Amino acid sequence: MAIRPEREVNMKLKFWGLAGAAVMAAVCAVNVYASEETTASVMVTMDHSYENGESAVFTAADESGNVLWTYTSGTYEAAQLDVVNEIGADGNQYYFCEDGAIVALNLTTGEKVWENSDFDGSVTGYTFDGGGHLFVCGYLGPDLFIVSQEGETLYRVGQNSLGYYWPYQLTLGEDGYVNITYESGTENGDTLKVNVSSYVEIVPREEESAEAETADANVPAVLQETEAAAAELEAALQSGSLTQTEMNEYAFQLYTVWDDKLNELWQQLKNTLGEAEMSALTTEEIDWIYEKEAAMEAAAAPYEGGSMWTTEYYGTGADLTRERVYVLVSYLP
């Protein structure tokens, strides 16, 4: 599959403090060997069965073929994607995915070290960074999931903002990026680069960068900073990496960004418009406020009493207030 060259544009989402490192050899189709830093004589084989449902048996053996341990997964109803996915060994741990959870077994004993259910997908691509971090992607999501050797979730992004889908391969580059390759999204698929040293940076193709630059050029100078602040909050809200509590807070912040700008513009207009024009605009503004609040209540009503109410309420308010801000800008001299 041909991969198009990439060009830069930033999308800062969340810092997680990893350092780029050389790629470890970790991709084996059936037999997965431990890295040189672990017990090199241990080999793990996965026997995948689809009889009477999907299940798998993992067997570890030494160089002489002596079985060291076995681990049997649960049995699951066959689905579109495999429920049990082999990953591989890193350090003294062997990793696999079962029913959406990343599982780490002690490579020597086969005992379960930890289980992390935050991934919630079916593994299609993975790699290790040599520092104890596992990078995973899933065909139906998430696009990127990073977990430490202790089982701590370091990062999770459900879907990229560019519309690419079906991620199937992860590789680490010497430039400190992890490359996510997608089967679809453009005619020939595409690859996004994510900076793992400080922040998430998606690098789309040149024409998409040009579109973004054109969009920026159409934003009035008085709104450039506001649009930039709003864009960061919107990117975080769409990243799929936030908890519902965090989404509620970000939605409120987004609404506040536009509401503060509206109030700032209103003060400017009071000092520049004539009395008659300002009086007419005030009447119009009062009507708009009633309409906005009614629309916010209506949008959030289906989620009354639930955790999503705040996100819907302030998200709708942010959209409507942004539209009103552009109306007020048109009155500036």
Side-chain angles (χ1 to χ4, degrees):
M1 175 174 57
I3 302 300
R4 303 187 182 199
E6 298 123 356
R7 300 291 185 269
E8 285 196 21
V9 67
N10 291 344
M11 187 180 77
K12 298 184 180 180
L13 297 183
K14 186 175 179 182
F15 174 80
W16 70 91
L18 300 182
V23 181
M24 283 189 69
V27 183
C28 296
V30 178
N31 297 329
V32 181
Y33 293 84
S35 69
E36 293 181 358
E37 297 179 4
T38 179
T39 308
S41 58
V42 178
M43 181 182 72
V44 180
T45 302
M46 171 181 163
D47 182 15
H48 216 156
S49 174
Y50 298 93
E51 294 183 8
N52 300 317
E54 180 189 349
S55 63
V57 177
F58 299 91
T59 303
D62 61 20
E63 290 179 320
S64 300
N66 299 311
V67 174
L68 302 176
W69 52 263
T70 61
Y71 182 95
T72 303
S73 74
T75 300
Y76 304 91
E77 182 178 351
Q80 181 181 6
L81 300 176
D82 285 343
V83 181
V84 184
N85 314 117
E86 182 177 37
I87 297 178
D90 184 51
N92 195 42
Q93 293 183 161
Y94 175 80
Y95 299 88
F96 64 95
C97 180
E98 179 175 357
D99 196 24
I102 304 297
V103 180
L105 304 181
N106 183 290
L107 187 61
T108 305
T109 66
E111 295 179 356
K112 183 183 291 187
V113 181
W114 51 259
E115 179 175 327
N116 183 320
S117 59
D118 291 345
F119 174 64
D120 194 26
S122 179
V123 174
T124 53
Y126 64 88
T127 190
F128 299 97
D129 73 347
H133 303 113
L134 168 64
F135 296 69
V136 185
C137 65
Y139 216 42
L140 298 180
D143 278 14
L144 179 62
F145 181 74
I146 306 175
V147 61
S148 72
Q149 61 185 350
E150 292 80 24
E152 176 187 3
T153 298
L154 300 178
Y155 191 74
R156 185 185 193 279
V157 57
Q159 186 176 16
N160 68 87
S161 65
L162 301 177
Y164 302 159
Y165 52 94
W166 297 345
Y168 70 93
Q169 185 179 57
L170 293 178
T171 57
L172 287 178
E174 295 180 358
D175 55 2
Y177 286 83
V178 58
N179 303 303
I180 310 174
T181 303
Y182 296 80
E183 184 168 318
S184 296
T186 60
E187 182 178 355
N188 297 312
D190 229 311
T191 294
L192 299 183
K193 297 175 67 176
V194 178
N195 187 315
V196 297
S197 62
S198 58
Y199 58 85
V200 171
E201 183 177 17
I202 293 182
V203 187
R205 298 183 311 283
E206 186 173 16
E207 57 266 30
E208 290 168 324
S209 296
E211 289 175 4
E213 291 173 3
T214 301
D216 288 342
N218 293 330
V219 176
V222 70
L223 298 181
Q224 290 282 355
E225 290 187 9
T226 305
E227 284 284 13
E232 288 196 13
L233 292 169
E234 289 170 351
L237 282 166
Q238 296 171 10
S239 69
S241 64
L242 301 179
T243 65
Q244 187 58 53
T245 299
E246 290 172 329
M247 289 184 68
N248 292 342
E249 176 61 26
Y250 276 56
F252 175 73
Q253 291 181 29
L254 181 60
Y255 172 74
T256 301
V257 163
W258 288 112
D259 192 53
D260 286 349
K261 192 62 181 182
L262 183 145
N263 291 324
E264 177 189 319
L265 291 170
W266 190 256
Q267 292 302 315
Q268 288 181 250
L269 292 172
K270 286 173 64 176
N271 296 327
T272 57
L273 295 183
E275 183 177 348
E277 189 174 13
M278 190 65 199
S279 177
L281 186 59
T282 298
T283 299
E284 179 185 307
E285 187 73 8
I286 292 172
D287 290 341
W288 172 79
I289 290 173
Y290 282 120
E291 293 172 0
K292 177 199 69 173
E293 292 178 348
M296 292 168 68
E297 292 286 353
Y303 306 97
E304 186 70 37
S307 60
M308 290 181 61
W309 186 93
T310 300
T311 296
E312 292 298 322
Y313 183 80
Y314 286 112
T316 300
D319 291 340
L320 295 174
T321 305
R322 179 182 183 274
E323 293 175 4
R324 186 61 182 172
V325 160
Y326 275 82
V327 171
L328 296 185
V329 166
S330 69
Y331 284 87
L332 291 175

mmCIF file with all atom_site columns, all heavy atoms in Angstrom, residues 101-123:
data_model
loop_
_atom_site.group_PDB
_atom_site.id
_atom_site.type_symbol
_atom_site.label_atom_id
_atom_site.label_alt_id
_atom_site.label_comp_id
_atom_site.label_asym_id
_atom_site.label_entity_id
_atom_site.label_seq_id
_atom_site.pdbx_PDB_ins_code
_atom_site.Cartn_x
_atom_site.Cartn_y
_atom_site.Cartn_z
_atom_site.occupancy
_atom_site.B_iso_or_equiv
_atom_site.pdbx_formal_charge
_atom_site.auth_seq_id
_atom_site.auth_comp_id
_atom_site.auth_asym_id
_atom_site.auth_atom_id
_atom_site.pdbx_PDB_model_num
ATOM 1   N N   . ALA A 1 101 ? -9.400  -6.085  27.020 1.00 0.00 ? 101 ALA A N   1
ATOM 2   C CA  . ALA A 1 101 ? -8.452  -5.756  28.093 1.00 0.00 ? 101 ALA A CA  1
ATOM 3   C C   . ALA A 1 101 ? -7.051  -6.211  27.715 1.00 0.00 ? 101 ALA A C   1
ATOM 4   O O   . ALA A 1 101 ? -6.860  -7.302  27.170 1.00 0.00 ? 101 ALA A O   1
ATOM 5   C CB  . ALA A 1 101 ? -8.877  -6.424  29.399 1.00 0.00 ? 101 ALA A CB  1
ATOM 6   N N   . ILE A 1 102 ? -6.055  -5.370  27.998 1.00 0.00 ? 102 ILE A N   1
ATOM 7   C CA  . ILE A 1 102 ? -4.659  -5.760  27.821 1.00 0.00 ? 102 ILE A CA  1
ATOM 8   C C   . ILE A 1 102 ? -4.232  -6.529  29.069 1.00 0.00 ? 102 ILE A C   1
ATOM 9   O O   . ILE A 1 102 ? -4.420  -6.052  30.198 1.00 0.00 ? 102 ILE A O   1
ATOM 10  C CB  . ILE A 1 102 ? -3.747  -4.531  27.634 1.00 0.00 ? 102 ILE A CB  1
ATOM 11  C CG1 . ILE A 1 102 ? -4.243  -3.689  26.444 1.00 0.00 ? 102 ILE A CG1 1
ATOM 12  C CG2 . ILE A 1 102 ? -2.308  -4.981  27.424 1.00 0.00 ? 102 ILE A CG2 1
ATOM 13  C CD1 . ILE A 1 102 ? -4.199  -4.385  25.117 1.00 0.00 ? 102 ILE A CD1 1
ATOM 14  N N   . VAL A 1 103 ? -3.661  -7.709  28.867 1.00 0.00 ? 103 VAL A N   1
ATOM 15  C CA  . VAL A 1 103 ? -3.271  -8.580  29.975 1.00 0.00 ? 103 VAL A CA  1
ATOM 16  C C   . VAL A 1 103 ? -1.765  -8.809  29.925 1.00 0.00 ? 103 VAL A C   1
ATOM 17  O O   . VAL A 1 103 ? -1.202  -9.032  28.843 1.00 0.00 ? 103 VAL A O   1
ATOM 18  C CB  . VAL A 1 103 ? -4.009  -9.932  29.908 1.00 0.00 ? 103 VAL A CB  1
ATOM 19  C CG1 . VAL A 1 103 ? -3.601  -10.826 31.073 1.00 0.00 ? 103 VAL A CG1 1
ATOM 20  C CG2 . VAL A 1 103 ? -5.520  -9.713  29.907 1.00 0.00 ? 103 VAL A CG2 1
ATOM 21  N N   . ALA A 1 104 ? -1.109  -8.755  31.080 1.00 0.00 ? 104 ALA A N   1
ATOM 22  C CA  . ALA A 1 104 ? 0.323   -9.036  31.186 1.00 0.00 ? 104 ALA A CA  1
ATOM 23  C C   . ALA A 1 104 ? 0.525   -10.251 32.073 1.00 0.00 ? 104 ALA A C   1
ATOM 24  O O   . ALA A 1 104 ? 0.024   -10.295 33.204 1.00 0.00 ? 104 ALA A O   1
ATOM 25  C CB  . ALA A 1 104 ? 1.070   -7.842  31.758 1.00 0.00 ? 104 ALA A CB  1
ATOM 26  N N   . LEU A 1 105 ? 1.245   -11.257 31.549 1.00 0.00 ? 105 LEU A N   1
ATOM 27  C CA  . LEU A 1 105 ? 1.585   -12.455 32.320 1.00 0.00 ? 105 LEU A CA  1
ATOM 28  C C   . LEU A 1 105 ? 3.080   -12.440 32.626 1.00 0.00 ? 105 LEU A C   1
ATOM 29  O O   . LEU A 1 105 ? 3.882   -11.926 31.833 1.00 0.00 ? 105 LEU A O   1
ATOM 30  C CB  . LEU A 1 105 ? 1.246   -13.732 31.538 1.00 0.00 ? 105 LEU A CB  1
ATOM 31  C CG  . LEU A 1 105 ? -0.190  -13.918 31.040 1.00 0.00 ? 105 LEU A CG  1
ATOM 32  C CD1 . LEU A 1 105 ? -0.305  -15.257 30.307 1.00 0.00 ? 105 LEU A CD1 1
ATOM 33  C CD2 . LEU A 1 105 ? -1.185  -13.850 32.195 1.00 0.00 ? 105 LEU A CD2 1
ATOM 34  N N   . ASN A 1 106 ? 3.450   -13.007 33.753 1.00 0.00 ? 106 ASN A N   1
ATOM 35  C CA  . ASN A 1 106 ? 4.865   -13.202 34.054 1.00 0.00 ? 106 ASN A CA  1
ATOM 36  C C   . ASN A 1 106 ? 5.411   -14.213 33.057 1.00 0.00 ? 106 ASN A C   1
ATOM 37  O O   . ASN A 1 106 ? 4.893   -15.332 32.950 1.00 0.00 ? 106 ASN A O   1
ATOM 38  C CB  . ASN A 1 106 ? 5.040   -13.695 35.481 1.00 0.00 ? 106 ASN A CB  1
ATOM 39  C CG  . ASN A 1 106 ? 6.492   -13.841 35.874 1.00 0.00 ? 106 ASN A CG  1
ATOM 40  O OD1 . ASN A 1 106 ? 7.190   -14.731 35.373 1.00 0.00 ? 106 ASN A OD1 1
ATOM 41  N ND2 . ASN A 1 106 ? 6.954   -12.998 36.774 1.00 0.00 ? 106 ASN A ND2 1
ATOM 42  N N   . LEU A 1 107 ? 6.440   -13.844 32.314 1.00 0.00 ? 107 LEU A N   1
ATOM 43  C CA  . LEU A 1 107 ? 6.948   -14.701 31.243 1.00 0.00 ? 107 LEU A CA  1
ATOM 44  C C   . LEU A 1 107 ? 7.510   -16.016 31.778 1.00 0.00 ? 107 LEU A C   1
ATOM 45  O O   . LEU A 1 107 ? 7.460   -17.040 31.095 1.00 0.00 ? 107 LEU A O   1
ATOM 46  C CB  . LEU A 1 107 ? 8.028   -13.957 30.457 1.00 0.00 ? 107 LEU A CB  1
ATOM 47  C CG  . LEU A 1 107 ? 8.557   -14.635 29.193 1.00 0.00 ? 107 LEU A CG  1
ATOM 48  C CD1 . LEU A 1 107 ? 7.434   -14.842 28.178 1.00 0.00 ? 107 LEU A CD1 1
ATOM 49  C CD2 . LEU A 1 107 ? 9.675   -13.812 28.571 1.00 0.00 ? 107 LEU A CD2 1
ATOM 50  N N   . THR A 1 108 ? 8.011   -15.992 33.001 1.00 0.00 ? 108 THR A N   1
ATOM 51  C CA  . THR A 1 108 ? 8.630   -17.190 33.568 1.00 0.00 ? 108 THR A CA  1
ATOM 52  C C   . THR A 1 108 ? 7.616   -18.139 34.176 1.00 0.00 ? 108 THR A C   1
ATOM 53  O O   . THR A 1 108 ? 7.709   -19.358 34.016 1.00 0.00 ? 108 THR A O   1
ATOM 54  C CB  . THR A 1 108 ? 9.660   -16.793 34.648 1.00 0.00 ? 108 THR A CB  1
ATOM 55  O OG1 . THR A 1 108 ? 10.604  -15.883 34.093 1.00 0.00 ? 108 THR A OG1 1
ATOM 56  C CG2 . THR A 1 108 ? 10.381  -18.029 35.176 1.00 0.00 ? 108 THR A CG2 1
ATOM 57  N N   . THR A 1 109 ? 6.593   -17.565 34.867 1.00 0.00 ? 109 THR A N   1
ATOM 58  C CA  . THR A 1 109 ? 5.652   -18.410 35.617 1.00 0.00 ? 109 THR A CA  1
ATOM 59  C C   . THR A 1 109 ? 4.274   -18.505 34.990 1.00 0.00 ? 109 THR A C   1
ATOM 60  O O   . THR A 1 109 ? 3.509   -19.417 35.304 1.00 0.00 ? 109 THR A O   1
ATOM 61  C CB  . THR A 1 109 ? 5.492   -17.870 37.040 1.00 0.00 ? 109 THR A CB  1
ATOM 62  O OG1 . THR A 1 109 ? 4.846   -16.574 36.980 1.00 0.00 ? 109 THR A OG1 1
ATOM 63  C CG2 . THR A 1 109 ? 6.840   -17.738 37.732 1.00 0.00 ? 109 THR A CG2 1
ATOM 64  N N   . GLY A 1 110 ? 3.915   -17.544 34.114 1.00 0.00 ? 110 GLY A N   1
ATOM 65  C CA  . GLY A 1 110 ? 2.583   -17.532 33.527 1.00 0.00 ? 110 GLY A CA  1
ATOM 66  C C   . GLY A 1 110 ? 1.528   -16.907 34.410 1.00 0.00 ? 110 GLY A C   1
ATOM 67  O O   . GLY A 1 110 ? 0.350   -16.858 34.045 1.00 0.00 ? 110 GLY A O   1
ATOM 68  N N   . GLU A 1 111 ? 1.923   -16.403 35.577 1.00 0.00 ? 111 GLU A N   1
ATOM 69  C CA  . GLU A 1 111 ? 0.962   -15.784 36.477 1.00 0.00 ? 111 GLU A CA  1
ATOM 70  C C   . GLU A 1 111 ? 0.557   -14.410 35.935 1.00 0.00 ? 111 GLU A C   1
ATOM 71  O O   . GLU A 1 111 ? 1.368   -13.684 35.367 1.00 0.00 ? 111 GLU A O   1
ATOM 72  C CB  . GLU A 1 111 ? 1.557   -15.625 37.875 1.00 0.00 ? 111 GLU A CB  1
ATOM 73  C CG  . GLU A 1 111 ? 1.859   -16.953 38.569 1.00 0.00 ? 111 GLU A CG  1
ATOM 74  C CD  . GLU A 1 111 ? 2.469   -16.739 39.941 1.00 0.00 ? 111 GLU A CD  1
ATOM 75  O OE1 . GLU A 1 111 ? 2.730   -15.570 40.308 1.00 0.00 ? 111 GLU A OE1 1
ATOM 76  O OE2 . GLU A 1 111 ? 2.677   -17.740 40.654 1.00 0.00 ? 111 GLU A OE2 1
ATOM 77  N N   . LYS A 1 112 ? -0.723  -14.073 36.128 1.00 0.00 ? 112 LYS A N   1
ATOM 78  C CA  . LYS A 1 112 ? -1.199  -12.778 35.664 1.00 0.00 ? 112 LYS A CA  1
ATOM 79  C C   . LYS A 1 112 ? -0.624  -11.683 36.556 1.00 0.00 ? 112 LYS A C   1
ATOM 80  O O   . LYS A 1 112 ? -0.789  -11.676 37.772 1.00 0.00 ? 112 LYS A O   1
ATOM 81  C CB  . LYS A 1 112 ? -2.724  -12.715 35.690 1.00 0.00 ? 112 LYS A CB  1
ATOM 82  C CG  . LYS A 1 112 ? -3.283  -11.389 35.139 1.00 0.00 ? 112 LYS A CG  1
ATOM 83  C CD  . LYS A 1 112 ? -4.797  -11.303 35.239 1.00 0.00 ? 112 LYS A CD  1
ATOM 84  C CE  . LYS A 1 112 ? -5.463  -12.268 34.284 1.00 0.00 ? 112 LYS A CE  1
ATOM 85  N NZ  . LYS A 1 112 ? -6.955  -12.064 34.262 1.00 0.00 ? 112 LYS A NZ  1
ATOM 86  N N   . VAL A 1 113 ? 0.061   -10.710 35.921 1.00 0.00 ? 113 VAL A N   1
ATOM 87  C CA  . VAL A 1 113 ? 0.658   -9.586  36.646 1.00 0.00 ? 113 VAL A CA  1
ATOM 88  C C   . VAL A 1 113 ? -0.346  -8.457  36.786 1.00 0.00 ? 113 VAL A C   1
ATOM 89  O O   . VAL A 1 113 ? -0.498  -7.870  37.852 1.00 0.00 ? 113 VAL A O   1
ATOM 90  C CB  . VAL A 1 113 ? 1.929   -9.082  35.928 1.00 0.00 ? 113 VAL A CB  1
ATOM 91  C CG1 . VAL A 1 113 ? 2.568   -7.924  36.691 1.00 0.00 ? 113 VAL A CG1 1
ATOM 92  C CG2 . VAL A 1 113 ? 2.930   -10.224 35.751 1.00 0.00 ? 113 VAL A CG2 1
ATOM 93  N N   . TRP A 1 114 ? -1.023  -8.133  35.702 1.00 0.00 ? 114 TRP A N   1
ATOM 94  C CA  . TRP A 1 114 ? -2.070  -7.111  35.736 1.00 0.00 ? 114 TRP A CA  1
ATOM 95  C C   . TRP A 1 114 ? -2.970  -7.253  34.517 1.00 0.00 ? 114 TRP A C   1
ATOM 96  O O   . TRP A 1 114 ? -2.651  -7.933  33.549 1.00 0.00 ? 114 TRP A O   1
ATOM 97  C CB  . TRP A 1 114 ? -1.497  -5.695  35.824 1.00 0.00 ? 114 TRP A CB  1
ATOM 98  C CG  . TRP A 1 114 ? -0.437  -5.307  34.816 1.00 0.00 ? 114 TRP A CG  1
ATOM 99  C CD1 . TRP A 1 114 ? 0.902   -5.258  35.023 1.00 0.00 ? 114 TRP A CD1 1
ATOM 100 C CD2 . TRP A 1 114 ? -0.642  -4.928  33.439 1.00 0.00 ? 114 TRP A CD2 1
ATOM 101 N NE1 . TRP A 1 114 ? 1.556   -4.867  33.877 1.00 0.00 ? 114 TRP A NE1 1
ATOM 102 C CE2 . TRP A 1 114 ? 0.637   -4.629  32.892 1.00 0.00 ? 114 TRP A CE2 1
ATOM 103 C CE3 . TRP A 1 114 ? -1.760  -4.759  32.634 1.00 0.00 ? 114 TRP A CE3 1
ATOM 104 C CZ2 . TRP A 1 114 ? 0.811   -4.230  31.573 1.00 0.00 ? 114 TRP A CZ2 1
ATOM 105 C CZ3 . TRP A 1 114 ? -1.599  -4.359  31.316 1.00 0.00 ? 114 TRP A CZ3 1
ATOM 106 C CH2 . TRP A 1 114 ? -0.326  -4.103  30.799 1.00 0.00 ? 114 TRP A CH2 1
ATOM 107 N N   . GLU A 1 115 ? -4.108  -6.577  34.588 1.00 0.00 ? 115 GLU A N   1
ATOM 108 C CA  . GLU A 1 115 ? -5.074  -6.518  33.493 1.00 0.00 ? 115 GLU A CA  1
ATOM 109 C C   . GLU A 1 115 ? -5.606  -5.096  33.420 1.00 0.00 ? 115 GLU A C   1
ATOM 110 O O   . GLU A 1 115 ? -6.009  -4.525  34.423 1.00 0.00 ? 115 GLU A O   1
ATOM 111 C CB  . GLU A 1 115 ? -6.214  -7.504  33.728 1.00 0.00 ? 115 GLU A CB  1
ATOM 112 C CG  . GLU A 1 115 ? -7.276  -7.496  32.647 1.00 0.00 ? 115 GLU A CG  1
ATOM 113 C CD  . GLU A 1 115 ? -8.332  -8.576  32.860 1.00 0.00 ? 115 GLU A CD  1
ATOM 114 O OE1 . GLU A 1 115 ? -7.977  -9.657  33.391 1.00 0.00 ? 115 GLU A OE1 1
ATOM 115 O OE2 . GLU A 1 115 ? -9.503  -8.324  32.522 1.00 0.00 ? 115 GLU A OE2 1
ATOM 116 N N   . ASN A 1 116 ? -5.589  -4.517  32.212 1.00 0.00 ? 116 ASN A N   1
ATOM 117 C CA  . ASN A 1 116 ? -6.045  -3.142  32.009 1.00 0.00 ? 116 ASN A CA  1
ATOM 118 C C   . ASN A 1 116 ? -7.170  -3.153  30.985 1.00 0.00 ? 116 ASN A C   1
ATOM 119 O O   . ASN A 1 116 ? -6.955  -3.483  29.811 1.00 0.00 ? 116 ASN A O   1
ATOM 120 C CB  . ASN A 1 116 ? -4.884  -2.262  31.529 1.00 0.00 ? 116 ASN A CB  1
ATOM 121 C CG  . ASN A 1 116 ? -5.270  -0.801  31.368 1.00 0.00 ? 116 ASN A CG  1
ATOM 122 O OD1 . ASN A 1 116 ? -6.355  -0.475  30.896 1.00 0.00 ? 116 ASN A OD1 1
ATOM 123 N ND2 . ASN A 1 116 ? -4.369  0.092   31.748 1.00 0.00 ? 116 ASN A ND2 1
ATOM 124 N N   . SER A 1 117 ? -8.377  -2.772  31.422 1.00 0.00 ? 117 SER A N   1
ATOM 125 C CA  . SER A 1 117 ? -9.547  -2.831  30.542 1.00 0.00 ? 117 SER A CA  1
ATOM 126 C C   . SER A 1 117 ? -9.815  -1.516  29.822 1.00 0.00 ? 117 SER A C   1
ATOM 127 O O   . SER A 1 117 ? -10.824 -1.381  29.122 1.00 0.00 ? 117 SER A O   1
ATOM 128 C CB  . SER A 1 117 ? -10.780 -3.232  31.356 1.00 0.00 ? 117 SER A CB  1
ATOM 129 O OG  . SER A 1 117 ? -11.009 -2.296  32.404 1.00 0.00 ? 117 SER A OG  1
ATOM 130 N N   . ASP A 1 118 ? -8.921  -0.525  29.956 1.00 0.00 ? 118 ASP A N   1
ATOM 131 C CA  . ASP A 1 118 ? -9.143  0.777   29.322 1.00 0.00 ? 118 ASP A CA  1
ATOM 132 C C   . ASP A 1 118 ? -9.051  0.725   27.801 1.00 0.00 ? 118 ASP A C   1
ATOM 133 O O   . ASP A 1 118 ? -9.616  1.585   27.119 1.00 0.00 ? 118 ASP A O   1
ATOM 134 C CB  . ASP A 1 118 ? -8.127  1.810   29.842 1.00 0.00 ? 118 ASP A CB  1
ATOM 135 C CG  . ASP A 1 118 ? -8.352  2.171   31.296 1.00 0.00 ? 118 ASP A CG  1
ATOM 136 O OD1 . ASP A 1 118 ? -9.438  1.851   31.823 1.00 0.00 ? 118 ASP A OD1 1
ATOM 137 O OD2 . ASP A 1 118 ? -7.433  2.756   31.913 1.00 0.00 ? 118 ASP A OD2 1
ATOM 138 N N   . PHE A 1 119 ? -8.319  -0.240  27.258 1.00 0.00 ? 119 PHE A N   1
ATOM 139 C CA  . PHE A 1 119 ? -8.135  -0.310  25.803 1.00 0.00 ? 119 PHE A CA  1
ATOM 140 C C   . PHE A 1 119 ? -9.473  -0.456  25.098 1.00 0.00 ? 119 PHE A C   1
ATOM 141 O O   . PHE A 1 119 ? -9.829  0.318   24.220 1.00 0.00 ? 119 PHE A O   1
ATOM 142 C CB  . PHE A 1 119 ? -7.219  -1.472  25.443 1.00 0.00 ? 119 PHE A CB  1
ATOM 143 C CG  . PHE A 1 119 ? -7.082  -1.701  23.955 1.00 0.00 ? 119 PHE A CG  1
ATOM 144 C CD1 . PHE A 1 119 ? -6.501  -0.748  23.142 1.00 0.00 ? 119 PHE A CD1 1
ATOM 145 C CD2 . PHE A 1 119 ? -7.542  -2.876  23.373 1.00 0.00 ? 119 PHE A CD2 1
ATOM 146 C CE1 . PHE A 1 119 ? -6.378  -0.941  21.769 1.00 0.00 ? 119 PHE A CE1 1
ATOM 147 C CE2 . PHE A 1 119 ? -7.424  -3.091  22.007 1.00 0.00 ? 119 PHE A CE2 1
ATOM 148 C CZ  . PHE A 1 119 ? -6.846  -2.125  21.212 1.00 0.00 ? 119 PHE A CZ  1
ATOM 149 N N   . ASP A 1 120 ? -10.248 -1.486  25.461 1.00 0.00 ? 120 ASP A N   1
ATOM 150 C CA  . ASP A 1 120 ? -11.609 -1.689  24.969 1.00 0.00 ? 120 ASP A CA  1
ATOM 151 C C   . ASP A 1 120 ? -11.664 -1.766  23.444 1.00 0.00 ? 120 ASP A C   1
ATOM 152 O O   . ASP A 1 120 ? -12.470 -1.097  22.795 1.00 0.00 ? 120 ASP A O   1
ATOM 153 C CB  . ASP A 1 120 ? -12.536 -0.575  25.478 1.00 0.00 ? 120 ASP A CB  1
ATOM 154 C CG  . ASP A 1 120 ? -14.008 -0.927  25.284 1.00 0.00 ? 120 ASP A CG  1
ATOM 155 O OD1 . ASP A 1 120 ? -14.318 -2.133  25.250 1.00 0.00 ? 120 ASP A OD1 1
ATOM 156 O OD2 . ASP A 1 120 ? -14.832 -0.003  25.164 1.00 0.00 ? 120 ASP A OD2 1
ATOM 157 N N   . GLY A 1 121 ? -10.806 -2.609  22.864 1.00 0.00 ? 121 GLY A N   1
ATOM 158 C CA  . GLY A 1 121 ? -10.806 -2.782  21.417 1.00 0.00 ? 121 GLY A CA  1
ATOM 159 C C   . GLY A 1 121 ? -10.266 -4.149  21.041 1.00 0.00 ? 121 GLY A C   1
ATOM 160 O O   . GLY A 1 121 ? -10.119 -5.036  21.883 1.00 0.00 ? 121 GLY A O   1
ATOM 161 N N   . SER A 1 122 ? -9.983  -4.326  19.758 1.00 0.00 ? 122 SER A N   1
ATOM 162 C CA  . SER A 1 122 ? -9.383  -5.554  19.249 1.00 0.00 ? 122 SER A CA  1
ATOM 163 C C   . SER A 1 122 ? -8.059  -5.172  18.603 1.00 0.00 ? 122 SER A C   1
ATOM 164 O O   . SER A 1 122 ? -8.032  -4.358  17.669 1.00 0.00 ? 122 SER A O   1
ATOM 165 C CB  . SER A 1 122 ? -10.301 -6.225  18.230 1.00 0.00 ? 122 SER A CB  1
ATOM 166 O OG  . SER A 1 122 ? -9.718  -7.400  17.708 1.00 0.00 ? 122 SER A OG  1
ATOM 167 N N   . VAL A 1 123 ? -6.948  -5.735  19.074 1.00 0.00 ? 123 VAL A N   1
ATOM 168 C CA  . VAL A 1 123 ? -5.617  -5.311  18.655 1.00 0.00 ? 123 VAL A CA  1
ATOM 169 C C   . VAL A 1 123 ? -5.347  -5.665  17.188 1.00 0.00 ? 123 VAL A C   1
ATOM 170 O O   . VAL A 1 123 ? -5.532  -6.808  16.770 1.00 0.00 ? 123 VAL A O   1
ATOM 171 C CB  . VAL A 1 123 ? -4.532  -5.952  19.546 1.00 0.00 ? 123 VAL A CB  1
ATOM 172 C CG1 . VAL A 1 123 ? -3.131  -5.623  19.011 1.00 0.00 ? 123 VAL A CG1 1
ATOM 173 C CG2 . VAL A 1 123 ? -4.668  -5.469  20.988 1.00 0.00 ? 123 VAL A CG2 1
#
